[in-house]
Amino acid sequence: MQRETQGRPQLEGYDLIGDVHGCGATLAALLEKLGYHQRSGVYRHPRRKVIFLGDLIDRGPRIRLAVTIARRMVEQGEAYIVMGNHEYNALAYTHPGPAGSHKRWLREHTPRHNRIIQDTLEQYRDYTNEWEDTLAWFKTIPLCLEIDGIRVVHACWDQKLIDELKQRRPDQCMDTEFLVESTDPTTQAYQILDRLTRGPHVSLPEGIAIHSGDGFTRKSFRAHFWAQDPQQWGDVVFQPDNLPGDLETRELTAEERQQLSYYGPEEPPLFIGHYWCEGIPSLPARNIACLDYSAVKYGRLVAYRWSGEATLNADHFVWIKVPKEERALPKPWEIDFD
């Protein structure tokens, strides 16, 4: 574990926090529960730092608050962060399509895409300069992180693609060229962005869809990447929604297996978000922790307190159940934006 300078005590570990999705007041409450306290408008801990797993924005009631808390911590050296697919989506949604392209925007303004980002745009509507500045900050967020023996990525650690990313972008961040390229499914940048921020997914048969509890219809399912020799769809499905009919017993094709990533039990501890788990936090593998427990769907905002252990321990999860009316939380959780 690294040592701090300027008289600060040795760092004990990291508190990794899953997808916030605009539950800013609950984030403040979770930080307080973890022993962080505001000083000069920044949440700080004398011996620990936070790592945010991305997806600060969209859907929740206090998106600006969530972004402000995280950004201030990152910029003051109290936290790290990796890119979530929702930050990436916001960058593509607001960036014009390339010259000569038929696309007006990198991410088309379809009814589905409009709905996903609607709450964010509404909450920044009267703060246009702040929104532009926030988008500029999003571009500085790395896609993955390795620090003090742990790995962090929003959705999936694929070593081959991460090696390609590091060769191209040693800081593991996007520039404008990479962002534009990443919206073309035929490119390397697309493969990297899609796998690291969205994870593996398997297409459903023609005419079959999942009608999710969040109101979206999906034509694929999210798959995990730690089954050593998966044979059936049920061996890799990783989402609360059940597969329709008897699809869990459907055999994975050779092509589908080839498209999946694999993270073995001998690899360093890995922390991910993205997969909107439900219930009491648990470990899907001894070296993998998923920290997305559907906070914005009135689930749990979850952290893992890591203090150097090579084998993860479910007793190290800390969480707060998100109230149905987050605005009811008391004033001390507020941060002054001015």
Side-chain angles (χ1 to χ4, degrees):
M1 197 70 62
Q2 68 186 36
R3 290 185 176 274
E4 299 298 305
T5 59
Q6 298 179 350
R8 184 169 176 171
Q10 182 176 357
L11 191 67
E12 289 181 353
Y14 298 98
D15 297 312
L16 298 105
I17 296 179
D19 306 31
V20 179
H21 278 307
C23 296
T26 305
L27 172 59
L30 178 61
L31 288 168
E32 293 275 352
K33 184 173 183 177
L34 291 167
Y36 292 77
H37 301 289
Q38 274 197 68
R39 295 200 314 274
S40 303
V42 180
Y43 280 93
R44 307 173 191 270
H45 192 289
R47 296 175 303 278
R48 304 186 67 85
K49 292 185 178 183
V50 163
I51 303 177
F52 294 102
L53 272 67
D55 280 6
L56 299 174
I57 64 170
D58 293 343
R59 297 178 176 155
R62 292 189 172 180
I63 295 166
R64 290 177 58 235
L65 178 61
V67 171
T68 296
I69 289 173
R71 181 176 177 180
R72 288 184 179 180
M73 292 183 72
V74 170
E75 292 182 340
Q76 291 296 314
E78 302 295 333
Y80 299 94
I81 187 170
V82 295
M83 174 83 70
N85 60 300
H86 283 257
E87 285 78 35
Y88 168 72
N89 289 346
L91 288 169
Y93 185 94
T94 56
H95 194 286
S101 168
H102 68 282
K103 294 197 302 184
R104 184 177 177 185
W105 306 98
L106 291 181
R107 181 172 170 86
E108 306 260 7
H109 289 194
T110 64
R112 179 188 180 93
H113 295 165
N114 294 343
R115 179 182 169 189
I116 290 171
I117 201 172
Q118 176 182 356
D119 292 307
T120 298
L121 296 181
E122 286 182 354
Q123 291 175 45
Y124 278 97
R125 181 171 50 200
D126 297 329
Y127 304 91
T128 54
N129 289 341
E130 182 183 330
W131 176 233
E132 291 299 322
D133 192 51
T134 297
L135 289 168
W137 178 62
F138 286 168
K139 286 184 71 173
T140 71
I141 296 176
L143 295 173
C144 57
L145 178 68
E146 287 186 88
I147 186 169
D148 287 338
I150 59 175
R151 292 171 172 170
V152 186
V153 70
H154 183 66
C156 174
W157 191 277
D158 185 303
Q159 191 62 58
K160 175 179 178 294
L161 291 175
I162 286 173
D163 289 343
E164 292 177 9
L165 170 65
K166 289 179 177 179
Q167 186 172 17
R168 247 185 99 166
R169 302 290 307 168
D171 60 0
Q172 290 126 75
C173 297
M174 293 187 300
D175 60 4
T176 299
E177 179 184 0
F178 195 97
L179 172 65
V180 172
E181 182 186 327
S182 71
T183 59
D184 179 349
T186 66
T187 65
Q188 178 196 57
Y190 176 91
Q191 293 177 4
I192 292 170
L193 256 299
D194 187 63
R195 185 52 52 98
L196 271 57
T197 67
R198 297 190 184 98
H201 39 83
V202 178
S203 297
L204 294 167
E206 185 70 29
I208 295 179
I210 295 173
H211 303 288
S212 182
D214 61 3
F216 286 93
T217 298
R218 293 179 167 87
K219 296 182 180 180
S220 64
F221 68 86
R222 293 179 177 182
H224 68 69
F225 49 91
W226 47 86
Q228 185 168 11
D229 187 26
Q231 299 298 314
Q232 300 177 331
W233 281 15
D235 294 336
V236 295
V237 63
F238 193 56
Q239 59 183 29
D241 295 324
N242 294 323
L243 295 181
D246 59 356
L247 288 181
E248 290 217 359
T249 61
R250 182 182 175 112
E251 294 290 322
L252 283 161
T253 67
E255 182 181 2
E256 287 168 345
R257 282 199 299 270
Q258 186 176 12
Q259 290 174 353
L260 296 172
S261 301
Y262 177 62
Y263 196 84
E266 75 287 350
E267 301 285 351
L270 172 66
F271 297 89
I272 57 175
H274 186 63
Y275 294 92
W276 35 285
C277 301
E278 294 180 337
I280 301 298
S282 59
L283 296 169
R286 68 184 185 184
N287 62 334
I288 299 174
C290 180
L291 301 180
D292 180 8
Y293 276 79
S294 308
V296 78
K297 302 175 189 176
Y298 313 121
R300 293 169 170 83
L301 184 59
V302 176
Y304 183 97
R305 307 213 80 172
W306 185 78
S307 300
E309 66 271 19
T311 300
L312 302 182
N313 185 339
D315 290 338
H316 295 182
F317 286 114
V318 180
W319 66 82
I320 286 185
K321 295 191 76 170
V322 180
K324 290 211 171 184
E325 182 45 77
E326 202 192 33
R327 295 175 180 85
L329 287 176
K331 280 286 185 183
W333 306 132
E334 294 287 6
I335 281 186
D336 183 2
F337 286 97
D338 297 324

